Amino acid sequence: MANYTTEATSSGGGRDGRIRTDDGFIDQDLKMPPELGGPGGGTNPEQLFAAAYASCFHGALGLAARAARTALPDGSEVTATIQLQPDDVSFHVAADLTAHLPGLEQSAADELVEKAHTMCPYSKATRGNVEVTLTATV
């Protein structure tokens, strides 16, 4: 199995700065969302994390489906909802992952989502640090 490495650099002040990947495919202004007292008008780390987690988890669902000798249904989707919540020190992150698996029985969808959560690299990275809620809809 191959190894993959990528790099992103933040400049100009973090949440009110700019993010750029080493290949230039992501080159975005970052803006604090209005809900946190910022101006909005740009993406933010939570949106980027939600996009990354949703796509990574969707890939893991495909792996889980293949391992179960079934096909991931056409029209499948994963939505990652990321919350930035205050805590005693600053903030913490929580995630809700909803996998829409049309045409599957609910029990099969639930099993695939649970299996994907054990396989997804983002789920592995957040385990024990981020509260993740899983939901399967059919």
PDB file of all heavy atoms in Angstrom, residues 3 24 34 36 40 43 49 60 89 91 109 114 131 136:
ATOM      1  N   ASN A   3       2.062   5.253   0.479  1.00  0.00           N
ATOM      2  CA  ASN A   3       1.999   6.308   1.481  1.00  0.00           C
ATOM      3  C   ASN A   3       1.676   7.616   0.759  1.00  0.00           C
ATOM      4  O   ASN A   3       2.083   7.810  -0.386  1.00  0.00           O
ATOM      5  CB  ASN A   3       3.350   6.405   2.194  1.00  0.00           C
ATOM      6  CG  ASN A   3       3.347   7.427   3.307  1.00  0.00           C
ATOM      7  OD1 ASN A   3       2.341   7.610   3.974  1.00  0.00           O
ATOM      8  ND2 ASN A   3       4.471   8.068   3.512  1.00  0.00           N
ATOM      9  N   GLY A  24      -1.178  23.941  -4.505  1.00  0.00           N
ATOM     10  CA  GLY A  24      -1.949  25.108  -4.914  1.00  0.00           C
ATOM     11  C   GLY A  24      -3.415  24.849  -5.200  1.00  0.00           C
ATOM     12  O   GLY A  24      -4.152  25.771  -5.526  1.00  0.00           O
ATOM     13  N   PRO A  34     -19.576  34.650  11.268  1.00  0.00           N
ATOM     14  CA  PRO A  34     -20.319  35.640  12.058  1.00  0.00           C
ATOM     15  C   PRO A  34     -20.758  35.107  13.423  1.00  0.00           C
ATOM     16  O   PRO A  34     -20.812  35.859  14.400  1.00  0.00           O
ATOM     17  CB  PRO A  34     -21.532  35.971  11.177  1.00  0.00           C
ATOM     18  CG  PRO A  34     -21.104  35.625   9.797  1.00  0.00           C
ATOM     19  CD  PRO A  34     -20.153  34.471   9.937  1.00  0.00           C
ATOM     20  N   LEU A  36     -19.191  33.490  15.449  1.00  0.00           N
ATOM     21  CA  LEU A  36     -18.101  33.643  16.416  1.00  0.00           C
ATOM     22  C   LEU A  36     -17.562  35.070  16.454  1.00  0.00           C
ATOM     23  O   LEU A  36     -16.457  35.317  16.928  1.00  0.00           O
ATOM     24  CB  LEU A  36     -16.960  32.661  16.088  1.00  0.00           C
ATOM     25  CG  LEU A  36     -17.325  31.182  16.187  1.00  0.00           C
ATOM     26  CD1 LEU A  36     -16.145  30.316  15.760  1.00  0.00           C
ATOM     27  CD2 LEU A  36     -17.766  30.826  17.600  1.00  0.00           C
ATOM     28  N   GLY A  40     -17.345  36.734   8.389  1.00  0.00           N
ATOM     29  CA  GLY A  40     -17.806  35.772   7.391  1.00  0.00           C
ATOM     30  C   GLY A  40     -17.183  36.107   6.046  1.00  0.00           C
ATOM     31  O   GLY A  40     -16.234  36.877   5.958  1.00  0.00           O
ATOM     32  N   THR A  43     -14.099  30.776   3.893  1.00  0.00           N
ATOM     33  CA  THR A  43     -14.230  29.490   4.557  1.00  0.00           C
ATOM     34  C   THR A  43     -13.552  29.541   5.925  1.00  0.00           C
ATOM     35  O   THR A  43     -12.935  30.549   6.282  1.00  0.00           O
ATOM     36  CB  THR A  43     -13.678  28.345   3.674  1.00  0.00           C
ATOM     37  OG1 THR A  43     -14.102  27.097   4.219  1.00  0.00           O
ATOM     38  CG2 THR A  43     -12.174  28.374   3.568  1.00  0.00           C
ATOM     39  N   PHE A  49     -12.661  20.917   7.672  1.00  0.00           N
ATOM     40  CA  PHE A  49     -12.660  19.646   8.380  1.00  0.00           C
ATOM     41  C   PHE A  49     -13.915  18.844   8.039  1.00  0.00           C
ATOM     42  O   PHE A  49     -13.847  17.629   7.818  1.00  0.00           O
ATOM     43  CB  PHE A  49     -12.535  19.874   9.887  1.00  0.00           C
ATOM     44  CG  PHE A  49     -12.462  18.611  10.699  1.00  0.00           C
ATOM     45  CD1 PHE A  49     -11.506  17.650  10.447  1.00  0.00           C
ATOM     46  CD2 PHE A  49     -13.358  18.394  11.730  1.00  0.00           C
ATOM     47  CE1 PHE A  49     -11.447  16.475  11.196  1.00  0.00           C
ATOM     48  CE2 PHE A  49     -13.302  17.234  12.490  1.00  0.00           C
ATOM     49  CZ  PHE A  49     -12.345  16.272  12.213  1.00  0.00           C
ATOM     50  N   ALA A  60     -14.490   5.279   3.303  1.00  0.00           N
ATOM     51  CA  ALA A  60     -14.467   4.149   4.234  1.00  0.00           C
ATOM     52  C   ALA A  60     -15.749   3.330   4.132  1.00  0.00           C
ATOM     53  O   ALA A  60     -15.719   2.107   4.291  1.00  0.00           O
ATOM     54  CB  ALA A  60     -14.259   4.646   5.664  1.00  0.00           C
ATOM     55  N   VAL A  89     -11.339  25.781  28.712  1.00  0.00           N
ATOM     56  CA  VAL A  89     -10.082  26.422  28.315  1.00  0.00           C
ATOM     57  C   VAL A  89     -10.250  27.286  27.069  1.00  0.00           C
ATOM     58  O   VAL A  89      -9.811  28.429  27.037  1.00  0.00           O
ATOM     59  CB  VAL A  89      -8.991  25.343  28.060  1.00  0.00           C
ATOM     60  CG1 VAL A  89      -7.705  25.978  27.614  1.00  0.00           C
ATOM     61  CG2 VAL A  89      -8.791  24.495  29.295  1.00  0.00           C
ATOM     62  N   PHE A  91     -12.031  25.986  23.163  1.00  0.00           N
ATOM     63  CA  PHE A  91     -13.087  25.337  22.401  1.00  0.00           C
ATOM     64  C   PHE A  91     -12.730  23.871  22.204  1.00  0.00           C
ATOM     65  O   PHE A  91     -11.572  23.482  22.318  1.00  0.00           O
ATOM     66  CB  PHE A  91     -13.242  25.979  21.007  1.00  0.00           C
ATOM     67  CG  PHE A  91     -13.801  27.371  21.048  1.00  0.00           C
ATOM     68  CD1 PHE A  91     -12.957  28.465  21.141  1.00  0.00           C
ATOM     69  CD2 PHE A  91     -15.168  27.585  20.979  1.00  0.00           C
ATOM     70  CE1 PHE A  91     -13.469  29.754  21.171  1.00  0.00           C
ATOM     71  CE2 PHE A  91     -15.683  28.859  21.009  1.00  0.00           C
ATOM     72  CZ  PHE A  91     -14.840  29.946  21.109  1.00  0.00           C
ATOM     73  N   ALA A 109     -27.473  -0.838   6.864  1.00  0.00           N
ATOM     74  CA  ALA A 109     -26.900   0.510   6.825  1.00  0.00           C
ATOM     75  C   ALA A 109     -26.189   0.823   8.136  1.00  0.00           C
ATOM     76  O   ALA A 109     -25.069   1.355   8.135  1.00  0.00           O
ATOM     77  CB  ALA A 109     -27.989   1.540   6.547  1.00  0.00           C
ATOM     78  N   GLU A 114     -21.108   1.624  11.198  1.00  0.00           N
ATOM     79  CA  GLU A 114     -20.252   1.244  12.334  1.00  0.00           C
ATOM     80  C   GLU A 114     -18.910   0.706  11.853  1.00  0.00           C
ATOM     81  O   GLU A 114     -17.861   1.045  12.401  1.00  0.00           O
ATOM     82  CB  GLU A 114     -20.959   0.211  13.223  1.00  0.00           C
ATOM     83  CG  GLU A 114     -22.107   0.772  14.026  1.00  0.00           C
ATOM     84  CD  GLU A 114     -21.689   1.789  15.084  1.00  0.00           C
ATOM     85  OE1 GLU A 114     -20.548   1.725  15.582  1.00  0.00           O
ATOM     86  OE2 GLU A 114     -22.525   2.652  15.408  1.00  0.00           O
ATOM     87  N   GLU A 131     -16.050  13.896  20.196  1.00  0.00           N
ATOM     88  CA  GLU A 131     -17.302  13.160  20.289  1.00  0.00           C
ATOM     89  C   GLU A 131     -17.898  13.067  18.871  1.00  0.00           C
ATOM     90  O   GLU A 131     -18.137  14.087  18.230  1.00  0.00           O
ATOM     91  CB  GLU A 131     -18.280  13.884  21.204  1.00  0.00           C
ATOM     92  CG  GLU A 131     -19.603  13.179  21.359  1.00  0.00           C
ATOM     93  CD  GLU A 131     -20.590  13.953  22.224  1.00  0.00           C
ATOM     94  OE1 GLU A 131     -20.151  14.701  23.102  1.00  0.00           O
ATOM     95  OE2 GLU A 131     -21.793  13.792  21.976  1.00  0.00           O
ATOM     96  N   ALA A 136     -27.256   6.482  10.353  1.00  0.00           N
ATOM     97  CA  ALA A 136     -27.489   5.933   9.017  1.00  0.00           C
ATOM     98  C   ALA A 136     -28.951   6.144   8.666  1.00  0.00           C
ATOM     99  O   ALA A 136     -29.844   5.863   9.473  1.00  0.00           O
ATOM    100  CB  ALA A 136     -27.151   4.449   8.977  1.00  0.00           C
TER     101      ALA A 136
END
